[in-house]
Amino acid sequence: MARKYFKVFRILIMGRANAGKTTILQCVCATTERPKIFDGNGKKNPSLVILADISQRGEHSIENELIFRSNPGFIFHDSCGFEAGSVDEFNKMRDFVLDRATTSRLKKRIHAIWQVHFVYCIPVTDYNRPIVAAERKFFQECDTKKGISSCFYILVPVLVLLTKLDTLESNAYNELKNKGCSKERARELRSECAQQMLERLQVQIASELGKTQFPPKNYVQLANMHENGADCGPLLEMTATALDEVALQLLLVSTQQTNLHLCIEWAVKM
């Protein structure tokens, strides 16, 4: 029934350059290949050159559709550029979100702002500035819950992804060394120290974004996404749970091909 109304699951992924966005999408689609890029009308654009990260492309439009051959059931959009502080880029992103969250053209509607509905990536390597102005501005100004009628609302959930958690151990090791620990002792304590750093960071981020007008739906921790067999299950599970339409939950679960446990779990639920 879900695919009768929605043919693809469309996600807007947001975040700073080098936050690991491309790696996350590759993991979700079980591939190491780069995505094919199509314009807003679904036409392939061979002039676009993909660099190391999708956020580093020179020719970029948030309207572009990123599709992996391994799983064409997902269509991704990337809102790179606005984190640099450009008012014009931010406005384009905001207008895209508000339009695609409420459009009556079902095949064009975004379902998540991974928000999958919305993926929002904050690398914990930016430990001293986990939230920058553009990110705070997004959660302050972009209302992804829009009334279609007096009794019906469309909600595009926004999930904050904490990426590159594995690098915290290196930070913890250096912090312990700076406090006078020997190399051996620092190696022994770094995992415990990294966990404590992560807990402080999560509290800080949740506190800052919790004060905004439109805070995120939830938070997801992702580690070692660059490794073979990386687990994106928590992201998919959290996204499915955040959706408030059964048809979309079923569409997401059936579209993803990397987590058999998720399929079984939701088959039992439904």
Side-chain angles (χ1 to χ4, degrees):
M1 180 63 72
R3 291 194 180 277
K4 178 179 179 180
Y5 301 101
F6 304 101
K7 300 298 184 182
V8 296
F9 196 86
R10 192 179 293 267
I11 300 166
L12 171 62
I13 185 166
M14 304 173 65
R16 310 172 207 174
N18 300 315
K21 293 183 289 181
T22 303
T23 303
I24 291 171
L25 300 188
Q26 289 172 325
C27 181
V28 168
C29 292
T31 184
T32 58
E33 296 182 355
R34 297 294 175 182
K36 303 295 183 182
I37 304 179
F38 301 82
D39 64 20
N41 296 316
K43 296 181 179 179
K44 189 174 180 180
N45 192 335
S47 67
L48 293 176
V49 178
I50 304 175
L51 301 181
D53 192 281
I54 55 178
S55 61
Q56 297 175 345
R57 291 194 306 274
E59 297 181 57
H60 172 79
S61 168
I62 194 172
E63 296 284 346
N64 289 341
E65 299 178 345
L66 312 178
I67 302 175
F68 290 91
R69 183 172 57 182
S70 61
N71 193 339
F74 281 118
I75 294 180
F76 301 101
H77 294 268
D78 174 34
S79 65
C80 67
F82 81 92
E83 70 266 27
S86 167
V87 174
D88 182 56
E89 288 297 328
F90 181 87
N91 289 340
K92 288 179 181 178
M93 179 275 300
R94 181 192 59 199
D95 293 344
F96 175 86
V97 169
L98 299 183
D99 174 62
R100 292 300 190 95
T102 60
T103 180
S104 58
R105 298 177 298 166
L106 297 183
K107 66 178 183 179
K108 291 292 187 179
R109 185 182 299 173
I110 57 171
H111 307 126
I113 302 164
W114 236 4
Q115 300 172 1
V116 172
H117 296 270
F118 215 86
V119 186
Y120 206 96
C121 304
I122 299 176
V124 297
T125 46
D126 290 350
Y127 188 73
N128 294 320
R129 58 182 193 98
I131 304 297
V132 298
E135 292 162 346
R136 189 178 298 106
K137 182 180 176 69
F138 170 79
F139 289 105
Q140 189 62 36
E141 297 185 14
C142 292
D143 182 5
T144 61
K145 182 179 181 181
K146 288 294 180 181
I148 304 302
S149 67
S150 59
C151 60
F152 180 65
Y153 285 84
I154 289 177
L155 172 64
V156 178
V158 181
L159 302 182
V160 170
L161 312 187
L162 301 178
T163 64
K164 301 188 178 181
L165 303 183
D166 44 301
T167 62
L168 269 184
E169 288 208 6
S170 176
N171 295 349
Y173 176 81
N174 292 330
E175 184 175 294
L176 289 166
K177 286 291 300 302
N178 291 336
K179 290 180 178 180
C181 286
S182 65
K183 292 181 179 179
E184 292 75 13
R185 186 59 175 163
R187 281 194 291 268
E188 290 176 3
L189 297 177
R190 61 185 177 186
S191 294
E192 180 182 348
C193 182
Q195 184 60 40
Q196 293 172 353
M197 293 171 68
L198 175 58
E199 291 173 0
R200 294 197 300 269
L201 181 65
Q202 286 182 295
V203 170
Q204 181 181 350
I205 292 174
S207 175
E208 287 193 45
L209 295 184
K211 297 173 184 176
T212 60
Q213 190 170 0
F214 309 108
K217 182 77 171 181
N218 218 323
Y219 300 83
V220 183
Q221 300 178 18
L222 297 175
N224 303 313
M225 298 301 289
H226 60 285
E227 296 182 356
N228 290 335
D231 182 16
C232 58
L235 172 57
L236 296 168
E237 172 69 28
M238 194 71 73
T239 301
T241 302
L243 297 169
D244 61 355
E245 294 182 60
V246 174
L248 291 179
Q249 292 175 328
L250 292 174
L251 177 62
L252 172 60
V253 172
S254 63
T255 298
Q256 66 85 31
Q257 302 172 3
T258 59
N259 195 314
L260 178 60
H261 173 76
L262 185 66
C263 294
I264 296 174
E265 179 181 345
W266 280 82
V268 173
K269 286 183 180 180
M270 298 301 176

